[in-house]
């Protein structure tokens, strides 16, 4: 089975990062096609692949799948041996809940701390809406750790789809120099040491140089 991932700029497309990390977790090779965002022809180019008009998009033998969460669940079904969600029922339920909350919320965080791998500057003052989201994010991560049954530095011990979904948050916390608890700082560092993330980060920073 072959996979082709259509993404936006690696420097700025947090949702594309999620799709790529999910594919890495599944352990399947894939090709990718990058469409520059914010260009006059961006939407037209994306519409050539899907009427959804957004990235990421995953082309598969079963059709084109739009949306990172749908991509993640598709890969989970196709590659059960990869155990993309935590094995424990309670942990798995919490992982799905956390990803769904990230997927549909935290608008204050997204609006005020846009994803940019090249940034390295604090935001002063921190907008109230963003601060509320930051506090909720820390609490959500704590909720994940509380039900984890496996050992490791990630939200549920070992790497899972939850980490693919929260990797862009880790980027925002580091690039905006947000003060963190020891637990959250360790988690952000773990994401930054994830080989698949490091490869994406390097490619994103090379876009700046290009």
């Amino acid at each position: 089975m072959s996979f082709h991932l259509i993404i936006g700029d690696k420097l700025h497309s947090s949702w594309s990062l999620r799709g790529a990390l999910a594919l890495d977790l599944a352990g399947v090779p894939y090709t990718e096609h990058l469409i520059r965002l914010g260009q006059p022809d961006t939407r037209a180019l994306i519409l050539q692949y899907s009427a959804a008009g957004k990235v990421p998009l995953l082309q598969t033998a079963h059709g084109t799948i739009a949306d990172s969460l749908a991509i993640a669940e598709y890969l989970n079904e196709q590659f059960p041996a990869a155990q993309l969600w935590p094995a424990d029922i309670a942990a798995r339920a919490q992982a799905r809940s956390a990803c769904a909350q990230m997927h549909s919320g935290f608008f204050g965080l997204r609006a005020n701390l846009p994803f940019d791998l090249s940034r390295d500057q604090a935001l002063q003052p921190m907008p109230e809406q963003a601060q509320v989201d930051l506090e909720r994010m820390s609490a959500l991560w704590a909720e994940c750790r509380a039900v984890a049954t496996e050992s490791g530095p990630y939200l549920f011990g070992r790497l899972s789809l939850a980490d693919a979904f929260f990797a862009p948050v880790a980027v925002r916390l580091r690039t905006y120099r947000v003060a963190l608890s020891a637990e959250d700082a360790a988690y952000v560092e773990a994401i930054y040491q994830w080989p698949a993330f490091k490869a994406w980060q390097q490619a994103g920073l090379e876009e700046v140089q290009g």
Side-chain angles (χ1 to χ4, degrees), residues 86 88-98 156:
D88 178 75
I89 294 175
R92 188 165 62 250
Q94 177 60 32
R96 280 193 163 105
S97 172
F156 293 90

Side-chain angles (χ1 to χ4, degrees), residues 106-184:
F106 294 95
F107 299 113
L109 179 63
R110 295 180 192 172
N112 292 286
L113 283 70
F115 184 88
D116 182 352
L117 284 165
S118 67
R119 183 186 173 94
D120 185 20
Q121 183 178 355
L123 184 62
Q124 297 293 344
M126 182 66 68
E128 182 179 358
Q129 287 182 324
Q131 184 60 42
V132 169
D133 277 357
L134 289 169
E135 292 171 4
R136 174 56 192 146
M137 183 66 65
S138 182
L140 182 58
W141 286 358
E143 292 167 12
C144 294
R145 297 188 195 100
V147 297
T149 60
E150 302 176 71
S151 60
Y154 300 100
L155 285 180
F156 293 90
R158 67 173 175 82
L159 273 168
S160 74
L161 286 171
D163 303 300
F165 271 79
F166 286 99
V169 177
V171 170
R172 288 178 167 95
L173 296 180
R174 176 160 292 190
T175 57
Y176 286 85
R177 298 186 183 182
V178 176
L180 302 173
S181 67
E183 293 84 358
D184 289 349

